Amino acid sequence: MTGPSQISRRLFLKGSAVLGCSAAAHPLLNTVTFASAPGENRLVVIILRGAMDGLDVVQPYGDPSLRELRRSLSVGPAGGALDLDGFYALHPALAPLMPMWRAGELGFAHAVSTPYRDKRSHFDGQDMLEAGTGMDVAPSMVRDGWLNRLLQTMPDVRSQTAYSVGAEAMPVLAGSAPFLAWAPDTRLELGGQAEALFEALYHDDPRFSGPAAEALEISRAAGDAGAKADATAIARFAAQRLKEETRIASFSLNGWDTHRGQAGSIRRSLDQLATVLMTLKAESGPVWGRTTVLAMTEFGRMAAENGSGGTDHGTGGALIMAGGAVRGGRVYGQWPGLASGDLYAGRDLRPTADVRAYAGWAMRGLFGLQSSRIENEVFPGLDLGRDPGLFV
Amino acid sequence: MTLSSYPSMAFPDIAAVRYGHGLSPLFASPADTDMLLSSVSVMPATPMVAVGHAGTMINDYNRIRRASRNGDEAERAAYKAVRNSFVSAHYNGLMIRFSRILDAPVTFGERLHAFWIDHFTTIKRDIAQVPLQLDFHDHALRPYMGGRFVDMLVAATTHPMMLGYLDQTKSKGPNSVSAQKRGGGVNENLAREVMELHTLGVGAGYSQTDVRQLALLLTGLGQTKDYEGAFFPTLAEPGAETVLNRSYGGATPSERDVLVVLGDLARHPATAQHLARKLAAHFVSDDPDPDLVAAMARAYSDHDTDLMPVYRTMIDHPAGQAGTGGKARQPFDWMATAMRGLGLRGADLAGMRGKSVRDLFMTPLSRMGQPWQSPAGPDGWPEEERAWLTPPGLAERINWSMNVPSRLMTDLPDPREVAEATIPPGARDTLAMLVPRAERRADGLALVLASPQYNTR
C-alpha cells in the first residue's frame, strides 16, 4: 500500500470529530511526537515522461558526427543554440535559464541512462526509472519507488516531509514511508455533520479513509493555491510546501515523445520546463539556496533523426540539475562520441554513467546518507562510482 | 475484509457490478451469462459520426481554416463556427457515451467498448481530428469487439486515426520509390506499439530488430486525401522482412503482407496471454488468478482469436464470480455508474452542451485524474487501484457527489431508495444507518454515490 493511506488513516482516527478529539491533538498541528526535522536541504525530482531527447536539449555540437546524424535538428549555435562551454550548446528554448547557468545554478550530466536497455518501451523505462532498480529485477515486481526508499532511511520523517504534486500518480514516491499527494486545484471542504458521516462511511475501508482524511487535511493546510493545475501552479505549490516542512517533492512533466516535427514539439515542452524551474526559484525564495532539482527521463532518443523530422526511442540521454545547492555551470559526464563505432547498438548515444549514481550522490550530499545505504537500500545493486562533485 | 467486499453475491448483482455500470433502478440486472453477453453485439442506435463522413468533415474544416488565414470577416466567422462545432462534437462524444450507458439495459458492452478504446489508445493532436477519433471508436473498434481480435487489430492498425497518432503516416521505406525521390525514412512508433501494447506485450520475446523489421514491413500503410486507410506501394520498402523468425513479402510490396503479419501477431500465444491478462486485470482483479488468465488465453487460441468465448470464460470462471469490490472504478466508469444509479436516462442529458458539459463533467474528470480522451500516452489509463483512489481524486468524487446531482435533476431522489435499489443486499447496512442522519437530501445522496460500494466493483 502507498504511504498516504497508512499515515492518514491514523490522522483520520485521531483527528476525527466522531471521536471527539480536538484539533490541538492532531499530529499535523502538533509535531512534538517527532524528535527532529530531517535537515534543511531540499530535493525536487521531476520525471520527464516520454523520453527527452538529450542530444537536442544539450547539443554536443563540438562532435562532428552530430551534423551527419541530424540534418534539421540539434544544429548547435549556428541554429540558435546557446554555447555553454565550447563543446555543448543549450537548446534555444531554454534561453530563459541562461542566467541560472551563469550563476552556477543549472548544470547537466550527459550520456547517462538507467540500466534499462534494448526494448525501448516508455512504460517499462519509466517503471525502472522510478523503481530505481537494475535489469536483474522486473520493475513490476518492485512495489516502491526510490524516493520512498530514501524516505525510509530517514529517522524522523513526518507526513509533510514528502509531497507528490499533481493529479498524476508518482510511482517514484510510492511505498511504505509516509508522503502526501495533492493537486493544487483541488479542495475538499465538508460541514461538521457531513464530515462526521463521511468519516463513518469510510471508517472500515482504508482505501478510502486514508485518502479522504488526507484530502481534508491538505485542504486546511494548503489554503488557496490557485485555480489551475498547470505546470506553473504545480511548481508554485511545490515551492510553497518546500518553504515549510517539506523536504522532498516530486511531479512529472509530459510531452517529450517527439517522433515527428521535433523542432516544434520539443520547444513547447522545454518552454514548460523553463517556466517550472524559474517558478521554483522565484517562489521558493530563501530556500532555493538549499534546493536541488533533478529532472530525469526514462531514456534518450536515437542519435540519428528519423524520416519525419523527429527521433525514435534510444538509450543514453541527459540529466538536468538545478537549484542553489547544486554546483552548476558545467556539463558533467564522460562523452562517448557519436561516430558510428561509438554508438550503442549502432544507433543510440552510448551511456557512460548510470543516472542513478547522480541521484545517489545528490542524496549523499543533501541528506548525509551513507554510500552503502544508497547502494544497498535506495538503489540496490548500484555502483556509485567516483564522486562527480555535485556540491561545493 | 473491507466494507465493499461481499463474498456471497447473486449472479445478477455480480454481473451488474463487476461487468457493468452497477445496478439500475430502471433496468433488471442480467440474469445469466447469455444475457450479459448479448449486450456486446448491440450496435448503438446513434453513431457518434456517420460512416464515411469523418473525412469530408475534416476536409471541410481544413478548407475553411485555410480560407480564414488571410480572409475577410465572414471567412473568419466561418472558421470560428466550424471550430466551435468540432469542440461541440468532442463534448458530445462524452455525452453520447454517457447516454448509451444510461439507456442500455445491460452495460457490459459499454464497459467493453471503453476497454478496447483504451487498449487501442489514440490521442488527438488537434481539434480537427475529433470526427476521425469518433469514427475510430465507433467504426473500427465497436463492430469487432464481439468478433475475432484479428479483425479488430487490422481495423485499428489501418485506421487513419491510429496511423496518424503513431506516426505511420510519416513513415516510408528508406529504399522506397518515394524516399528515393523526395527523401524521408522509416518511423518505428506504430510497429513498436503494435507489438508492445496491442498484441504480444512487452514481456514477450521480441527484439529491437523485430520492431525495426515490422516497421519496414508496415511501410506503405497510409491514408487517402479523404482519410481512408490505404496501401501505397511507392512508400513501401522493397524486399522481404523477417519478424519473429518468419519472412514476409517479396520483391513487390503488398498490403497482403501487412495483413498476414498482423494475423500472425494476433494469433501468437504471447498475444493470447497478454489480452487475457489485461481483460482479467481490468474486470476482475489488479492481480488476477493465473488459472483464470490461462483459461481465457486458451479460449482465445482455441477459437482463432474470437473474443466472445474469452469473455464467457472470464464470466463463468470461479474467479470471475467471486465477491466484488477489489477494483476501483475509474472516473468515467464511476460517473456513469453514479448517473445510472440516480435513474437518469440519455434524454436527461440531451440539452446539455458547452459550459455545462465542461463544468459538470469535463473539468471534474480531469481533476479526478482522467481528462476525457487524454491519457498521457499510448498505453492508456493505469489499471491499479492506487492510481485512482488518491486524495485529490477522492476529494473530487466527493465534491461531484455533493454538487452535481442537483444540477442534473430538479427533484433529487430519496437517497435511502437509491441505496436500496442500487446496492446489493448485505453491502448497504452502513449506508442505511448513515444516510438518514444527513442534514440534506443532497448530502445523503453524496454518501451513496461517494461510497466504497459505488467506487469499486
Side-chain angles (χ1 to χ4, degrees):
Chain A
M1 232 8 254
T2 52
S5 316
Q6 300 196 354
I7 184 85
S8 311
R9 182 156 53 126
R10 203 163 65 236
L11 300 186
F12 215 48
L13 300 177
K14 275 199 180 175
S16 147
V18 172
L19 299 179
C21 290
S22 73
H26 200 283
L28 276 186
L29 305 173
N30 178 358
T31 50
V32 291
T33 49
F34 299 97
S36 61
E40 280 303 313
N41 290 326
R42 276 90 171 154
L43 175 63
V44 180
V45 173
I46 305 174
I47 304 288
L48 307 171
R49 295 187 198 282
M52 179 186 76
D53 184 15
L55 289 172
D56 201 20
V57 176
V58 182
Q59 303 170 6
Y61 75 97
D63 189 323
S65 298
L66 184 65
R67 285 269 44 74
E68 294 161 25
L69 292 161
R70 298 185 168 204
R71 283 157 300 167
S72 71
L73 299 172
S74 319
V75 183
L82 304 137
D83 179 52
L84 294 175
D85 58 4
F87 184 82
Y88 294 109
L90 189 64
H91 192 286
L94 291 182
L97 299 182
M98 280 308 278
M100 241 184 240
W101 167 267
R102 284 191 287 269
E105 295 179 345
L106 176 70
F108 306 91
H110 223 314
V112 296
S113 74
T114 70
Y116 182 62
R117 289 293 181 277
D118 298 336
K119 225 153 199 184
R120 301 177 179 85
S121 149
H122 289 301
F123 324 112
D124 275 5
Q126 287 170 28
D127 282 353
M128 189 165 290
L129 171 66
E130 297 186 73
T133 51
M135 282 294 270
D136 51 333
V137 188
S140 55
M141 301 306 293
V142 182
R143 302 304 293 173
D144 53 7
W146 56 266
L147 270 182
N148 197 278
R149 294 198 297 277
L150 166 65
L151 281 171
Q152 292 169 32
T153 68
M154 296 177 166
D156 42 14
V157 170
R158 312 165 188 202
S159 60
Q160 294 269 3
T161 300
Y163 248 100
S164 153
V165 189
E168 226 173 297
M170 294 298 294
V172 70
L173 249 177
S176 61
F179 68 95
L180 295 175
W182 199 242
D185 59 340
T186 289
R187 290 179 68 72
L188 179 63
E189 285 164 351
L190 298 169
Q193 169 71 351
E195 192 169 322
L197 289 174
F198 271 99
E199 285 167 1
L201 177 68
Y202 295 150
H203 183 272
D204 292 335
D205 194 334
R207 299 176 300 174
F208 288 83
S209 57
E214 196 175 310
L216 287 167
E217 282 313 317
I218 303 172
S219 293
R220 284 186 199 119
D224 193 2
K228 284 184 70 185
D230 61 8
T232 313
I234 284 174
R236 186 178 301 128
F237 180 85
Q240 285 163 356
R241 310 276 37 98
L242 290 168
K243 278 200 283 193
E244 308 289 333
E245 275 186 63
T246 298
R247 295 295 174 267
I248 292 172
S250 187
F251 54 90
S252 56
L253 296 176
N254 302 332
W256 301 94
D257 196 18
T258 47
H259 282 281
R260 67 151 99 155
Q262 176 167 319
S265 55
I266 202 170
R267 180 171 280 278
R268 284 190 290 279
S269 303
L270 289 171
D271 282 346
Q272 189 178 55
L273 177 65
T275 306
V276 159
L277 292 178
M278 289 190 296
T279 305
L280 280 173
K281 178 180 162 106
E283 299 281 335
S284 63
V287 307
W288 178 248
R290 313 293 304 249
T291 299
T292 297
V293 182
L294 302 178
M296 1 179 45
T297 193
E298 64 261 34
F299 42 72
R301 307 189 72 85
M302 219 173 136
E305 209 172 303
N306 68 14
S308 37
T311 50
D312 289 321
H313 300 182
T315 309
L319 163 71
I320 300 170
M321 297 177 275
V326 79
R327 189 161 65 144
R330 64 194 68 198
V331 181
Y332 293 84
Q334 184 200 339
W335 184 246
L338 290 172
S340 58
D342 297 328
L343 295 175
Y344 177 79
R347 54 174 271 157
D348 300 339
L349 175 63
R350 178 179 299 281
T352 56
D354 192 324
V355 70
R356 298 176 303 162
Y358 284 93
W361 284 107
M363 288 172 190
R364 198 167 180 275
L366 294 172
F367 305 114
L369 198 59
Q370 292 164 339
S371 301
S372 61
R373 300 196 74 179
I374 295 170
E375 291 175 335
N376 294 322
E377 293 169 40
V378 180
F379 295 120
L382 172 71
D383 176 4
L384 270 172
R386 270 200 17 230
D387 184 357
L390 298 181
F391 304 102
V392 183
Chain B
M1 185 65 48
T2 57
L3 241 189
S4 46
S5 278
Y6 359 97
S8 59
M9 275 171 72
F11 180 91
D13 292 337
I14 288 177
V17 172
R18 170 167 293 137
Y19 301 108
H21 288 284
L23 279 65
S24 162
L26 308 177
F27 301 103
S29 297
D32 54 36
T33 306
D34 285 335
M35 201 176 280
L36 194 50
L37 289 175
S38 69
S39 63
V40 177
S41 304
V42 176
M43 284 301 287
T46 320
M48 291 191 282
V49 56
V51 181
H53 274 223
T56 316
M57 289 172 74
I58 298 169
N59 283 331
D60 286 350
Y61 180 95
N62 287 331
R63 185 175 42 74
I64 296 168
R65 174 161 60 181
R66 274 194 304 277
S68 75
R69 287 220 177 104
N70 296 304
D72 58 24
E73 204 171 310
E75 283 165 322
R76 288 199 303 276
Y79 173 51
K80 200 173 169 195
V82 74
R83 194 181 158 79
N84 285 341
S85 75
F86 272 47
V87 173
S88 296
H90 171 59
Y91 283 13
N92 207 34
L94 173 65
M95 302 319 282
I96 290 177
R97 291 276 300 282
F98 277 143
S99 299
R100 289 176 181 176
I101 292 168
L102 298 180
D103 291 341
V106 179
T107 48
F108 181 51
E110 298 305 322
R111 287 276 313 281
L112 273 178
H113 195 204
F115 174 86
W116 289 113
I117 286 171
D118 186 64
H119 183 74
F120 289 107
T121 288
T122 59
I123 301 168
K124 294 183 289 293
R125 289 174 198 278
D126 184 326
I127 198 78
Q129 287 190 311
V130 166
L132 200 61
Q133 191 178 47
L134 297 175
D135 184 81
F136 179 67
H137 293 166
D138 257 10
H139 304 308
L141 302 180
R142 181 102 194 188
Y144 301 100
M145 65 189 203
R148 295 188 312 164
F149 178 74
V150 61
D151 298 324
M152 193 185 331
L153 178 66
V154 168
T157 310
T158 58
H159 191 282
M161 187 64 210
M162 184 61 83
L163 296 173
Y165 173 51
L166 292 178
D167 302 315
Q168 189 61 31
T169 46
K170 300 289 177 185
S171 186
K172 51 172 97 163
N175 299 301
S176 64
V177 174
S178 170
Q180 298 296 322
K181 280 190 195 157
R182 285 183 287 276
V186 73
N187 188 308
E188 294 176 1
N189 207 9
L190 178 65
R192 180 182 308 281
E193 305 307 11
V194 163
M195 287 183 148
E196 176 182 329
L197 299 174
H198 303 159
T199 61
L200 306 173
V202 73
Y206 63 93
S207 67
Q208 171 63 35
T209 310
D210 290 318
V211 171
R212 191 77 183 175
Q213 289 286 300
L214 180 61
L216 290 169
L217 188 50
L218 294 181
T219 55
L221 283 184
Q223 66 188 30
T224 66
K225 288 189 166 59
D226 295 322
Y227 292 86
E228 300 284 347
F231 189 80
F232 300 89
T234 52
L235 297 175
E237 181 72 358
E241 282 89 17
T242 302
V243 180
L244 296 172
N245 300 318
R246 184 177 164 187
S247 178
Y248 296 88
T252 317
S254 131
E255 184 178 17
R256 205 176 48 89
D257 304 327
V258 173
L259 301 183
V260 173
V261 76
L262 290 177
D264 286 347
L265 287 170
R267 294 182 179 91
H268 196 285
T271 302
Q273 180 69 23
H274 179 216
L275 295 180
R277 192 181 190 289
K278 191 166 174 178
L279 276 162
H282 182 72
F283 283 95
V284 180
S285 164
D286 284 357
D287 187 14
D289 179 354
D291 185 69
L292 168 69
V293 175
M296 291 168 69
R298 218 161 32 240
Y300 177 88
S301 297
D302 288 351
H303 294 88
D304 191 29
T305 84
D306 192 353
L307 293 165
M308 282 302 229
V310 182
Y311 307 145
R312 182 181 292 278
T313 303
M314 171 170 72
I315 294 161
D316 288 343
H317 191 279
Q321 285 297 315
T324 61
K327 290 279 309 173
R329 282 196 196 276
Q330 296 176 13
F332 169 77
D333 174 3
W334 169 75
M335 228 179 239
T337 301
M339 288 193 282
R340 195 171 159 88
L342 290 171
L344 288 163
R345 295 296 303 264
D348 296 317
L349 304 181
M352 208 160 275
R353 48 181 60 87
K355 192 175 180 323
S356 299
V357 176
R358 198 162 62 239
D359 292 351
L360 302 186
F361 305 109
M362 291 282 180
T363 303
L365 281 172
S366 297
R367 291 181 166 188
M368 290 169 201
Q370 195 170 42
W372 179 237
Q373 309 286 27
S374 304
D379 57 335
W381 300 112
E383 192 58 62
E384 334 77 74
E385 172 189 287
R386 67 175 178 177
W388 299 111
L389 297 182
T390 63
L394 183 57
E396 292 298 347
R397 293 185 194 213
I398 296 172
N399 285 335
W400 193 93
S401 304
M402 285 280 198
N403 301 315
V404 174
S406 59
R407 301 275 305 272
L408 297 176
M409 26 201 348
T410 37
D411 294 312
L412 288 178
D414 187 319
R416 288 166 299 188
E417 287 167 17
V418 175
E420 181 87 15
T422 63
I423 296 178
R428 52 182 186 238
D429 298 349
T430 308
L431 277 167
M433 183 185 76
L434 296 175
V435 165
R437 288 163 53 192
E439 286 173 0
R440 306 178 303 153
R441 184 170 274 219
D443 290 3
L445 267 184
L447 286 169
V448 176
L449 302 182
S451 67
Q453 289 79 351
Y454 259 79
N455 283 275
T456 63
R457 49 179 171 80

